[in-house]
C-alpha cells in the first residue's frame, strides 16, 4: 500500500506549477495550494510581512507535500479512521 507521502507527491506531480487564472476564483495557485490557503496558514515564504503571489510562486513541491500531510491528513486525524476507509 502507498504511504500518505507518496499519495501527496502524486497529487503535487499532477497539479503542476504556478498559475494565476483570472477566471479561477481560487486565485494564484501552485501545486494545488491556493494563495487563500497560504494566507490562512500564514505562509509568508519571502518574509516580507504579507502573503502575495510571489509567495505562491516560490512554494516548493516538498513544502506542498508537507502542507498536504500536516493540514489535510494529520490535522483532521484521518490516520485514526478505520483502515477500510
Amino acid at each position: 500500500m502507498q504511504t500518505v507521502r507518496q499519495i501527496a507527491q502524486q497529487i503535487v506531480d499532477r497539479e503542476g506549477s504556478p498559475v494565476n487564472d483570472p477566471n479561477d476564483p481560487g486565485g494564484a495557485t501552485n501545486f494545488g495550494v491556493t494563495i487563500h490557503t497560504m494566507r490562512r496558514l500564514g505562509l509568508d515564504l519571502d518574509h516580507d510581512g504579507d502573503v502575495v503571489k510571489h509567495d505562491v510562486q516560490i512554494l516548493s513541491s516538498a513544502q506542498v507535500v508537507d502542507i498536504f500531510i500536516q493540514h489535510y491528513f494529520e490535522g483532521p486525524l484521518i490516520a485514526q479512521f478505520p483502515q477500510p476507509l
Side-chain angles (χ1 to χ4, degrees):
M1 180 168 27
Q2 292 182 323
T3 67
V4 172
R5 184 162 295 280
Q6 289 170 325
I7 294 168
Q9 185 62 56
Q10 289 174 355
I11 293 168
V12 167
D13 293 343
R14 279 193 304 270
E15 288 292 339
S17 58
V19 294
N20 191 17
D21 183 346
N23 295 319
D24 182 350
T29 305
N30 194 1
F31 299 113
V33 175
T34 68
I35 191 169
H36 306 295
T37 296
M38 291 183 66
R39 286 178 177 153
R40 181 175 52 82
L41 298 175
L43 296 176
D44 177 14
L45 300 180
D46 59 8
H47 307 288
D48 67 351
D50 58 5
V51 179
V52 295
K53 288 187 283 187
H54 180 254
D55 295 293
V56 176
Q57 292 170 338
I58 63 174
L59 185 64
S60 73
S61 63
Q63 288 170 309
V64 173
V65 168
D66 289 340
I67 289 168
F68 287 165
I69 292 170
Q70 292 171 6
H71 299 282
Y72 299 109
F73 183 75
E74 292 172 352
L77 306 176
I78 291 175
Q80 295 180 12
F81 286 9
Q83 186 63 32
L85 294 179

